[in-house]
Amino acid sequence: MNRIAVVSMVRNEADVIESFVRHCCSFADFMLVVDHMSVDDTGDILQALAQEGLPVMVRRFEDVEQSQSEVMTVLARQAFLEEGADLVLPLDADEFLVPEDGISCRAVLEQLAVDRVYSLDWVRYLLAEPEAGQDVFLLARPAWRSRQAERLKK
């Protein structure tokens, strides 16, 4: 069974961070998240999720320069070398892996060979605004998918 990690660098993502972490924890064994100087509730939400027992390790990055590529490289190396990950998924807080209906993310990831680098088509979705009393979990809200994938790959 593959040990799966998600690594992410976030900033001011209070509106999506809880949904992102909970979704990732549904298929990943652990997450390494760097909070880059958030001034909203992102850091507090991340700490609360970790204290709840979710497998998320949080660090704060205070350097004014973003240095995202360097930070993400350090996180990926830590996931592989120190935490024993077989697969590392670098994701932004607004990126949700959603497989075809009836298939779990974990099942798809378990089928991947661990000696390769993979890329995914980048597909955009437009979410409906939540109605009063509706679940705020992003993936529980109605969404409309772009007709075709972006030229970009992730």
Side-chain angles (χ1 to χ4, degrees):
M1 182 160 87
N2 291 337
R3 186 155 161 79
I4 300 168
V6 170
V7 297
S8 190
M9 184 174 182
V10 301
R11 184 174 186 170
N12 296 330
E13 302 282 1
D15 59 333
V16 298
I17 197 67
E18 182 175 0
S19 292
F20 172 70
V21 169
R22 289 188 186 283
H23 177 65
C24 289
C25 288
S26 74
F27 61 82
D29 294 292
F30 66 96
M31 296 180 69
L32 301 176
V33 180
V34 168
D35 177 11
H36 179 227
M37 299 175 61
S38 292
V39 295
D40 64 2
D41 290 334
T42 298
D44 293 336
I45 295 167
L46 285 168
Q47 290 302 326
L49 292 167
Q51 290 172 358
E52 182 181 310
L54 293 177
V56 57
M57 294 169 249
V58 183
R59 292 191 199 132
R60 179 108 172 142
F61 183 69
E62 295 289 343
D63 197 337
V64 175
E65 233 180 87
Q66 188 172 6
S67 308
Q68 185 168 6
S69 62
E70 293 88 350
V71 170
M72 292 295 284
T73 298
V74 168
L75 290 176
R77 285 187 179 142
Q78 179 186 352
F80 280 122
L81 301 175
E82 296 174 26
E83 303 295 335
D86 299 304
L87 293 171
V88 174
L89 308 169
L91 297 174
D92 291 340
D94 61 355
E95 294 177 328
F96 291 77
L97 295 181
V98 180
E100 294 180 22
D101 287 340
I103 302 173
S104 75
C105 271
R106 183 75 191 204
V108 171
L109 295 169
E110 284 288 344
Q111 296 174 13
L112 299 178
V114 297
D115 61 347
R116 297 190 180 160
V117 174
Y118 296 92
S119 67
L120 297 171
D121 289 333
W122 198 331
V123 179
R124 295 186 187 266
Y125 291 84
L126 177 62
L127 287 174
E129 289 298 319
E131 296 177 15
Q134 183 181 18
D135 190 348
V136 294
F137 182 65
L138 292 180
L139 296 179
R141 292 168 43 190
W144 294 269
R145 181 182 175 165
S146 296
R147 294 186 188 269
Q148 63 186 47
E150 299 285 327
R151 290 185 177 191
L152 302 170
K153 295 232 182 234
K154 177 72 178 178

